[in-house]
Amino acid sequence: MIVRSFKDIENTDRHVKAASGTWESKRIVLAKEKVGFSLHETVLYAGTETSMWYANHIEAVLCTEGEAELTNDETGETHWISPGTMYLLDGHERHTMRPKTDFRCVCVFNPPVTGREDHDKNGVYPLLTEEG
């Protein structure tokens, strides 16, 4: 059994701050736990824009605080995301988030991330694996 809090991982290697400066993520369950998914709390900062494309992962996102506009960059369709709203990137959709307020969400990734990932120039997380 693993018991861990987001407070426990503040300012550790599980607390990742994007090179872009638009978000931070506390990665509470990672690939090294070997449970088949990773679990994160992510905050996207108000007034920023982050374009992403999870070409190597499926992501489910549940908003717990704040509001943001989500755009499916492939179709142009937009959605307003607020607390209690979930979106699932089950087709590896390219998408852009535009938080109107600080936007806090809980994210699940499959395959799990290692904790070292940040978006590349295309908005993709590389597919990293844990040794052993």
Side-chain angles (χ1 to χ4, degrees):
M1 178 185 298
I2 297 170
V3 178
R4 166 181 307 134
S5 75
F6 290 121
K7 187 165 180 61
D8 292 341
I9 63 175
E10 282 181 16
N11 302 312
T12 71
D13 60 349
R14 289 175 178 261
H15 188 177
V16 177
K17 297 182 181 180
S20 66
T22 62
W23 58 266
E24 66 181 83
S25 181
K26 294 176 184 168
R27 298 168 177 187
I28 200 159
V29 176
L30 291 171
K32 67 174 119 187
E33 274 82 54
K34 300 182 191 276
V35 295
F37 63 91
S38 58
L39 179 67
H40 320 175
E41 178 191 61
T42 299
V43 176
L44 290 94
Y45 304 128
T48 64
E49 182 174 301
T50 305
S51 293
M52 297 166 270
W53 174 36
Y54 295 117
N56 302 308
H57 299 84
I58 299 296
E59 182 191 29
V61 178
L62 176 64
C63 175
T64 60
E65 182 181 323
E67 298 179 317
E69 179 186 78
L70 167 65
T71 301
N72 180 330
D73 295 337
E74 297 172 13
T75 66
E77 186 177 16
T78 62
H79 304 274
W80 191 249
I81 308 298
S82 59
T85 304
M86 182 278 310
Y87 63 93
L88 176 65
L89 301 164
D90 59 339
H92 305 281
E93 297 86 355
R94 294 175 191 258
H95 61 289
T96 300
M97 290 294 293
R98 293 177 189 87
K100 303 305 177 196
T101 62
D102 281 355
F103 180 85
R104 185 177 309 274
C105 55
V106 175
C107 311
V108 176
F109 279 86
N110 185 18
V113 303
T114 66
R116 303 182 310 268
E117 294 81 358
D118 195 351
H119 298 108
D120 69 13
K121 65 181 180 183
N122 296 312
V124 175
Y125 275 174
L127 186 56
L128 302 178
T129 59
E130 288 292 330
E131 296 296 326

